[in-house]
Amino acid sequence: MGGIKVGTASWTDRTLLESGWYPPAADTPERRLAHYASRFPLVEVDATYYAPPAERTAQLWASRTPAGFTFNVKAFSLLTGHPTRVSALYRDLRPETEKRNVYPGDLDAQTYEEVWTRFLTALEPLAHAGKLGALLFQFPPWFTIRRDNKQYLLEVRERCAPMRAVFEFRHASWFDGDNEAETLDFLRRHRLPYVCVDMPQGYRSSVPPVLAATAELAVVRFHGHSTKWNSRDIYQRFGYRYSERELADWAPKLRELAGRAEQTHVLLNNCYRDYAQRNAEQLTDLLAG
């Protein structure tokens, strides 16, 4: 069985800081990251979806964590086709527009290429330190199973290399009927790591909890089962705490998945107060047991 790393999709969330999970002595960003890294070997950086990181920030992440610690980094929204705030773009690359949000097609080709270059360059300190696990490309609900979208997956892999991209879908078409086999076969054929998800069902963005390893790295993200998945309030969407029974049911499935991959990353994304951290601790114990 390949190694399993368990972590959470945040370590700086406001409600987490208010929850009391951090000891009083962890009163600075540096001390909080050090404390988190003493408890878990993996973390996912979600802030990079909303605004691209600075290279200096990546340098600090690398220097403030022990050897063997791993950061997965969520791709900037523009690079996955999501609407992106103009104010989130690099200042010198912002287009002259009255729009609040833009898409890749709203930028000229040179500007779009520069966003890619700067985003990846900023992460090089993590890569050089051996602490960059994967770049998470989570696509929007309108990214359906089409030939041009499959081609974009290959384009992303080439753009990111030698950094490793992993792919999460948010439209059920990738798994409807025979499409599930087609999707997984395509990913395996091209060694594209698939991100398995546990999430609420019955919504436009819902995909089933298909566990599969399509490359040397397998990734599982736990989003919870909130009944308010469509809420604009992020804490209502992700404010779900897994029960011990639910996690116990998942543990053998994760072990089986890890048997089909060299590495497996498990991220708790139910980021409200200390729900993700407590559940990650429980799951770690269950997997160890």
Side-chain angles (χ1 to χ4, degrees), residues 241-253:
R241 187 164 181 174
Y242 285 88
S243 69
E244 184 84 20
R245 180 69 263 168
E246 287 176 294
L247 297 177
D249 288 344
W250 270 102
K253 299 175 185 177

Side-chain angles (χ1 to χ4, degrees), residues 28-273:
T28 67
E30 180 176 4
R31 291 172 180 169
R32 283 191 286 270
L33 180 54
H35 178 77
Y36 177 95
S38 73
R39 306 291 291 273
F40 301 108
L42 170 71
V43 77
E44 181 181 286
V45 184
D46 278 1
T48 47
Y49 168 83
Y50 301 99
E55 187 171 353
R56 174 59 178 161
T57 302
Q59 290 173 341
L60 291 174
W61 291 338
S63 66
R64 291 174 174 177
T65 49
F69 189 80
T70 300
F71 290 87
N72 285 1
V73 176
K74 194 171 185 179
F76 183 40
S77 58
L78 187 79
L79 308 182
T80 51
H82 285 88
T84 299
R85 293 178 295 108
V86 173
S87 60
L89 293 170
Y90 302 97
R91 187 176 297 275
D92 62 314
L93 299 183
R94 294 173 188 171
E96 294 185 6
T97 178
E98 297 298 320
K99 295 181 179 179
R100 182 180 179 185
N101 297 314
V102 292
Y103 294 84
D106 294 318
L107 305 180
D108 62 74
Q110 183 176 352
T111 298
Y112 179 68
E113 291 297 324
E114 186 64 18
V115 172
W116 263 105
T117 298
R118 294 188 192 183
F119 178 80
L120 295 174
T121 298
L123 299 176
E124 287 181 355
L126 283 177
H128 290 160
K131 295 182 177 182
L132 181 60
L135 303 182
L136 169 64
F137 283 78
Q138 182 192 74
F139 293 103
W142 52 89
F143 190 86
T144 59
I145 185 170
R146 299 199 318 249
R147 180 176 299 177
D148 56 340
N149 285 342
K150 289 182 179 179
Q151 189 60 40
Y152 187 64
L153 302 183
L154 299 178
E155 177 186 329
V156 167
R157 181 191 62 185
E158 297 306 313
R159 284 181 177 275
C160 292
M163 299 177 189
R164 178 170 50 192
V166 300
F167 303 98
E168 178 179 336
F169 304 115
R170 282 291 178 88
H171 193 277
S173 63
W174 293 90
F175 301 97
D176 283 342
D178 294 339
N179 286 358
E180 178 179 326
E182 178 185 338
T183 295
L184 297 178
D185 287 346
F186 175 82
L187 296 175
R188 288 193 180 101
R189 188 165 65 250
H190 296 284
R191 306 300 295 170
L192 302 175
Y194 162 63
V195 177
C196 319
V197 297
D198 181 57
M199 67 182 299
Q201 299 297 296
Y203 296 90
R204 182 189 177 204
S205 61
S206 298
V207 296
V210 175
L211 283 181
T214 58
E216 73 285 350
L217 173 66
V219 182
V220 184
R221 301 180 77 232
F222 285 85
H223 299 303
H225 290 276
S226 170
T227 58
K228 299 180 179 179
W229 184 248
N230 280 340
S231 173
R232 291 180 177 272
D233 185 329
I234 193 170
Y235 297 125
Q236 289 186 347
R237 292 186 66 192
F238 294 100
Y240 179 88
R241 187 164 181 174
Y242 285 88
S243 69
E244 184 84 20
R245 180 69 263 168
E246 287 176 294
L247 297 177
D249 288 344
W250 270 102
K253 299 175 185 177
L254 296 173
R255 292 194 196 97
E256 182 180 352
L257 177 66
R260 303 195 294 268
E262 294 178 12
Q263 291 181 311
T264 301
H265 291 179
V266 178
L267 281 308
L268 278 294
N269 190 37
N270 51 331
C271 295
Y272 175 66
R273 297 186 62 78

